[in-house]
Amino acid sequence: MLGTFAVGRRLGRHSVVDVAWGPGFVLVALIALLTAGGDPGRPWLLLVLTAVWGLRLAVHIGRRSRGAKEDPRYERLLSKAPGNPDLYALRVVYLLQGALIWLISAPIQVAAHAPAPLGGWAVAGVALWVVGFVFEAVGDAQLAAFRRDPANRGRIMDRGLWAWTRHPNYFGDACVWWGLFLVAVSGSPWTLLTLPAPLVMTYLLTRGSGQRLLDEHMRGRPGWAEYEARTSAFVPLPPRRS
């Protein structure tokens, strides 16, 4: 995160931290593998799953933000900075996200020392991870294709997975981390102590900087009230009738 802060300050765009979010978890999973003291299969599996998720997310955000200006979320945050905006960003953006990466990746860290071989809970975790990854990747791809079509300018995306949930990418992200938790917890009951990790991630996606803020940002746009009324906020459900 300190390295990312240096890059963001040089570019004059602190939203670069969003690109580093996924690779930060990949780095933790790699270090967990290199220092593993338990069954070798689990840290390898967790590294592969984390790397596929984290690197896809980094590439997606990097492409989406290429050539863009500062993210409005960070502009609003830094406009309230008491004193130097860069030092304020270091504290409340970069170091905070570094702490969150450490906390949310706790199951991966602890599982590296779990002695039990992979079993049924790991299979369930991989299955849930696949569901989450599909929702996140397909949802992002559908939204990107929608935005590329000039005919959709000013319209609300309400097709594909977005007809079933207003945030398929956030729902998918939550499933990914609950899946990783199940893979981790299958190796040792001590991993249950890391339950706050997926709970914190789910809270961030629903009540923190995810669903809640984006819904507030979209309210007032033409068509949003109708879309919000008929579409589930998070968990995919059939669209409600008008």
Side-chain angles (χ1 to χ4, degrees):
M1 282 295 129
L2 290 174
T4 305
F5 169 71
V7 173
R9 193 170 184 274
R10 183 176 181 83
L11 294 176
R13 186 163 58 89
H14 291 300
S15 56
V16 71
V17 71
D18 295 336
V19 179
W21 175 251
F25 288 100
V26 179
L27 181 59
V28 172
L30 176 61
I31 294 173
L33 170 65
L34 296 176
T35 59
D39 177 73
R42 185 169 287 97
W44 270 109
L45 177 59
L46 288 170
L47 173 60
V48 170
L49 296 178
T50 305
V52 171
W53 167 81
L55 297 180
R56 186 214 70 88
L57 182 62
V59 170
H60 169 71
I61 295 177
R63 287 176 175 172
R64 186 182 66 187
S65 60
R66 184 185 302 161
K69 298 180 180 179
E70 182 65 281
D71 190 302
R73 295 174 301 160
Y74 295 112
E75 286 184 339
R76 289 193 297 269
L77 178 66
L78 298 179
S79 67
K80 306 173 185 177
N84 189 306
D86 286 331
L87 294 180
Y88 184 69
L90 175 63
R91 295 196 307 272
V92 303
V93 176
Y94 295 90
L95 296 183
L96 176 59
Q97 290 203 27
L100 288 172
I101 288 174
W102 176 83
L103 172 62
I104 295 168
S105 66
I108 297 173
Q109 300 176 50
V110 175
H113 304 280
L118 294 170
W121 281 109
V123 174
V126 171
L128 184 57
W129 180 94
V130 170
V131 171
F133 184 79
V134 168
F135 262 86
E136 189 171 0
V138 172
D140 284 340
Q142 289 177 340
L143 181 60
F146 179 84
R147 287 174 170 172
R148 284 196 298 269
D149 187 348
N152 295 325
R153 185 169 299 170
R155 298 177 61 186
I156 300 296
M157 170 55 163
D158 59 356
R159 309 169 189 174
L161 295 179
W162 300 82
W164 290 69
T165 167
R166 299 200 299 271
H167 305 284
N169 47 352
Y170 292 158
F171 170 76
D173 215 6
C175 289
V176 162
W177 282 96
W178 280 104
L180 292 173
F181 173 74
L182 291 181
V183 173
V185 81
S186 66
S188 169
W190 288 105
T191 317
L192 286 170
L193 297 176
T194 65
L195 179 60
L199 290 174
V200 167
M201 177 61 99
T202 305
Y203 177 83
L204 291 174
L205 292 168
T206 55
R207 305 304 304 164
S209 58
Q211 171 201 330
R212 181 182 61 84
L213 285 184
L214 187 54
D215 283 353
E216 290 177 357
H217 176 71
M218 294 297 292
R219 286 190 183 111
R221 293 195 179 187
W224 176 259
E226 294 80 5
Y227 175 64
E228 189 174 28
R230 69 176 180 266
T231 311
S232 172
F234 194 72
V235 177
L237 294 171
R240 293 183 286 269
R241 293 180 179 272
S242 300

